[in-house]
Amino acid sequence: MEKPPNDENQNVKTSTISPRSLVAFWFLGLCNNYGYVVMLAGALDILSTHFHYNGSSYARECTQMSTGAILLADIIPSLTIKFLAPFFPLAIHFRMVLALLLSAAGYILVAEAPAVWVAILGVVCTALSSGLGEASLLSYMAFYKSKNVISTWSSGTGAAGFFGSFTYASLTRILGSHETTLYVLLVVPIVMGINFWLILEAPKKLQNESDTQDAAKGSYSRSSEMETGDHVPLTNRNLTLTDKIRYIPHLLIYMIPLFLVYFFEYFINQGLFELITFDLSWLTHAEQYKWYQVDYQIGVFLSRSSINLFQIRHTWILALCQGISLIFFATEAIFTYVPSIYVIFFAILLEGFFGGAAYVNTYNRITHEISDDKREFSMGITSLADALGISLAGFLAIPAHEAICRIPPYK
């Protein structure tokens, strides 16, 4: 089950990459996932602006709509983009412009939303931006042929989780409103554009002499493929649409564990976090939810930055650990038996660590185990697995929220 689907990758040539480009990829990962994280961290604020706590039919302190609804608005557009993007020309510059415009529109729409549907539309724009950016940049990484690109990108996406949730929780407390906070965060898409167009070096600078000679003869030049999208990228030149579809089953050893990890953790985050509360004078219900998100993202950041320290090839182990986490949080939401919020903070930190480790180790395996001609497609389509898991979690979180809210508290 763990045998690589293709052994011809054993002789894959790798390239060095400049520190400048590694820094750029770190910031690209940070900025790409920032808005997505902010919308999830602010889910309870978005809903409480338009809905009240404690519907008459609820036995517990609950909003009338689950934060799973925000999760669905944040992931289904991303899922659609991740599914479609690998089958289209990369056209990286056009994709990046579109991603940045969608990101800015998302912040503004949520901040100005006069009704919940406008806020949901803003979340959708942010999701489209994040999904398009991730699918495009993961494919673009195949041109750099360096594992350090994956590690720095993953570290950046993990940092987005921490910094996104932390800045949102902190700024809303300092500035007094989530609307002002969202306008301040419009700096994020600007930083992303600066890193992509001004700091990141073009991959052609990293190609060996023979690749440069081939490009001079007219074979898949960066300028024609990247800017116009008229040609198939070098790494995909032998793959037809039929070839891509037929190759997907070979990728299931990577996709299934990643799907399970993300299904378990997002069911916890958006289905159960809002239902696990403690009577504290220093943290309100809404603030506890925000800091749960911060704690979770710390675990994600640590594990996504760990690939150069240790690697986990058997990613199904992480899926098993995340399943155990789900059981713990579900029973706590129902029976409220944990005596201290600090126990919950520790469990959330572990949950985030399992999720981040599954992400970075999955893409690290693909980098080393998939041949050049299939790597770009494999990176892009595997990103569909976590989106599917998150989407299913969002759908199931809504009825779970309703069911638990109707159960009388046990203490």
Side-chain angles (χ1 to χ4, degrees):
M1 193 66 181
E2 290 291 333
K3 183 180 179 181
N6 195 318
D7 292 330
E8 59 183 312
N9 58 295
Q10 299 303 317
N11 297 319
V12 171
K13 292 184 290 185
T14 59
S15 302
T16 58
I17 183 170
S18 70
R20 168 182 166 178
S21 290
L22 290 177
V23 169
F25 269 114
W26 190 88
F27 275 101
L28 288 170
L30 173 78
C31 296
N32 187 73
N33 283 27
Y34 212 97
Y36 173 84
V37 170
V38 165
M39 295 307 167
L40 292 183
L44 209 55
D45 285 340
I46 294 171
L47 292 178
S48 60
T49 300
H50 304 282
F51 295 100
H52 298 291
Y53 281 109
N54 274 9
S56 58
S57 60
Y58 292 154
R60 301 176 181 227
E61 184 182 6
C62 299
T63 56
Q64 292 174 274
M65 181 182 291
S66 166
T67 55
I70 300 297
L71 176 60
L72 287 176
D74 217 6
I75 194 58
I76 289 181
S78 179
L79 171 64
T80 304
I81 290 292
K82 288 181 179 182
F83 177 76
L84 295 175
F87 297 97
F88 287 89
L90 191 52
I92 190 68
H93 294 288
F94 171 77
R95 289 191 185 191
M96 291 302 296
V97 169
L98 183 58
L100 297 185
L101 291 175
L102 286 168
S103 177
Y107 287 120
I108 294 170
L109 285 172
V110 174
E112 291 296 325
V116 69
W117 72 266
V118 179
I120 295 293
L121 179 61
V123 175
V124 168
C125 287
T126 304
L128 288 171
S129 170
S130 179
L132 180 61
E134 182 174 12
S136 302
L137 289 168
L138 281 171
S139 295
Y140 193 52
M141 289 175 207
F143 292 91
Y144 290 83
K145 300 179 182 178
S146 171
K147 73 172 185 178
N148 291 327
V149 172
I150 298 296
S151 64
T152 52
W153 161 267
S154 297
S155 176
T157 58
F162 169 68
F163 287 110
S165 56
F166 179 79
T167 54
Y168 180 81
S170 300
L171 288 175
T172 51
R173 187 160 188 148
I174 294 169
L175 300 176
S177 75
H178 72 277
E179 293 88 354
T180 306
T181 297
L182 291 172
Y183 276 112
V184 171
L185 294 179
L186 280 171
V187 70
V188 174
I190 296 173
V191 172
M192 188 172 186
I194 290 172
N195 276 274
F196 183 77
W197 282 294
L198 299 181
I199 299 178
L200 181 65
E201 294 177 318
K204 66 180 179 181
K205 295 181 181 179
L206 307 176
Q207 294 173 349
N208 60 30
E209 184 177 351
S210 63
D211 289 335
T212 304
Q213 291 173 349
D214 287 341
K217 295 175 184 177
S219 300
Y220 303 99
S221 70
R222 179 182 185 273
S223 60
S224 62
E225 189 279 318
M226 294 300 171
E227 295 180 9
T228 68
D230 292 336
H231 297 289
V232 179
L234 179 63
T235 51
N236 272 2
R237 65 183 183 274
N238 296 321
L239 292 184
T240 65
L241 178 60
T242 302
D243 291 333
K244 292 178 179 180
I245 294 173
R246 288 178 177 174
Y247 193 67
I248 290 176
H250 295 287
L251 300 173
L252 293 180
I253 61 170
Y254 309 108
M255 297 176 73
I256 291 176
L258 192 64
F259 166 84
L260 290 173
V261 167
Y262 273 79
F263 166 68
F264 294 148
E265 73 180 83
Y266 274 85
F267 185 87
I268 294 168
N269 294 358
Q270 306 308 133
L272 301 175
F273 273 3
E274 62 179 303
L275 302 175
I276 299 174
T277 61
F278 293 82
D279 294 326
L280 303 172
S281 60
W282 51 282
L283 277 181
T284 65
H285 180 182
E287 288 173 334
Q288 287 176 51
Y289 176 86
K290 293 175 193 174
W291 289 106
Y292 287 164
Q293 296 286 345
V294 173
D295 186 31
Y296 158 77
Q297 297 294 355
I298 291 173
V300 172
F301 173 57
L302 292 175
S303 57
R304 288 196 180 192
S305 305
S306 67
I307 194 65
N308 289 326
L309 299 177
F310 62 89
Q311 299 176 16
I312 303 172
R313 186 165 183 269
H314 301 285
T315 50
W316 61 266
I317 295 175
L318 297 168
L320 177 62
C321 291
Q322 204 68 296
I324 295 172
S325 294
L326 173 59
I327 293 171
F328 169 76
F329 285 106
T331 53
E332 164 58 18
I334 296 171
F335 299 108
T336 60
Y337 57 87
V338 174
S340 170
I341 193 172
Y342 296 106
V343 176
I344 297 298
F345 279 140
F346 178 72
I348 291 172
L349 187 70
L350 289 179
E351 179 221 351
F353 186 88
F354 298 147
Y359 180 93
V360 68
N361 282 279
T362 296
Y363 289 111
N364 185 62
R365 286 185 61 193
I366 290 173
T367 299
H368 289 84
E369 298 175 3
I370 301 296
S371 60
D372 276 356
D373 63 320
K374 301 180 180 71
R375 191 179 301 132
E376 180 204 325
F377 171 73
S378 300
M379 295 282 276
I381 202 66
T382 299
S383 69
L384 185 66
D386 60 271
L388 283 170
I390 295 170
S391 298
L392 181 60
F395 279 112
L396 295 182
I398 295 173
H401 169 271
E402 289 292 313
I404 295 175
C405 285
R406 296 178 190 280
I407 299 175
Y410 282 82
K411 67 176 181 179

